[in-house]
């Protein structure tokens, strides 16, 4: 059973579900604060990294090693935790998908 196992991150197979998703906005959580860091963009995933781009600028780049990514209960976004490749800082973001009409 996986109830008490150590979490080693989200497998690449699960991360590939997020590739190509359109993003409405991205919020970064720092303690009790939430700050909008980008709007209108997308998510790209390959074997080495997950990248979130908003308004033509990269707002988040994280290695796929050790990343923890989970779908929101409403299925209209994802909760992503990982170490930023540029700063080396542990970051926690919430990505909200754009509605496809």
């Amino acid at each position: 059973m996986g109830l008490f196992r150590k979490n080693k991150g989200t497998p690449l197979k699960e991360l590939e579900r997020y590739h190509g998703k359109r993003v409405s906005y991205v919020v970064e959580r720092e303690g009790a604060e939430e700050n909008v860091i980008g709007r209108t963009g997308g998510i790209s995933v390959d074997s080495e990294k997950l990248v979130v781009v908003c308004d033509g600028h990269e707002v988040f780049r994280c290695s796929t090693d050790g990343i923890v990514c989970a779908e929101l209960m409403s299925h209209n976004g994802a909760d992503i935790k990982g170490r930023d490749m540029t700063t080396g800082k542990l970051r926690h973001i919430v990505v909200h998908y754009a509605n496809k009409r």
Side-chain angles (χ1 to χ4, degrees):
M1 309 306 274
L3 189 59
F4 296 108
R5 69 186 171 123
K6 184 166 172 78
N7 190 358
K8 295 185 180 180
T10 306
L12 183 61
K13 183 89 171 163
E14 286 184 36
L15 289 176
E16 289 174 345
R17 294 184 312 161
Y18 301 104
H19 181 73
K21 292 277 189 178
R22 292 180 12 193
V23 173
S24 176
Y25 65 98
V26 181
V27 175
E28 182 167 15
R29 290 187 175 170
E30 294 179 27
E33 290 185 26
E34 289 188 348
N35 300 315
V36 176
I37 60 172
R39 297 183 188 277
T40 314
I43 301 173
S44 176
V45 178
D46 64 17
S47 62
E48 299 173 358
K49 62 191 171 297
L50 179 140
V51 179
V52 179
V53 176
C54 292
D55 296 322
H57 302 299
E58 183 179 295
V59 295
F60 183 73
R61 176 183 293 259
C62 180
S63 172
T64 55
D65 272 348
I67 190 172
V68 177
C69 194
E71 192 84 19
L72 297 179
M73 289 180 71
S74 61
H75 296 289
N76 65 351
D79 186 64
I80 303 170
K81 296 177 190 173
R83 191 157 306 277
D84 195 319
M85 291 178 80
T86 55
T87 64
K89 204 171 105 175
L90 189 63
R91 293 179 68 189
H92 180 187
I93 66 169
V94 179
V95 176
H96 296 272
Y97 304 143
N99 292 336
K100 295 180 182 174
R101 294 183 184 187

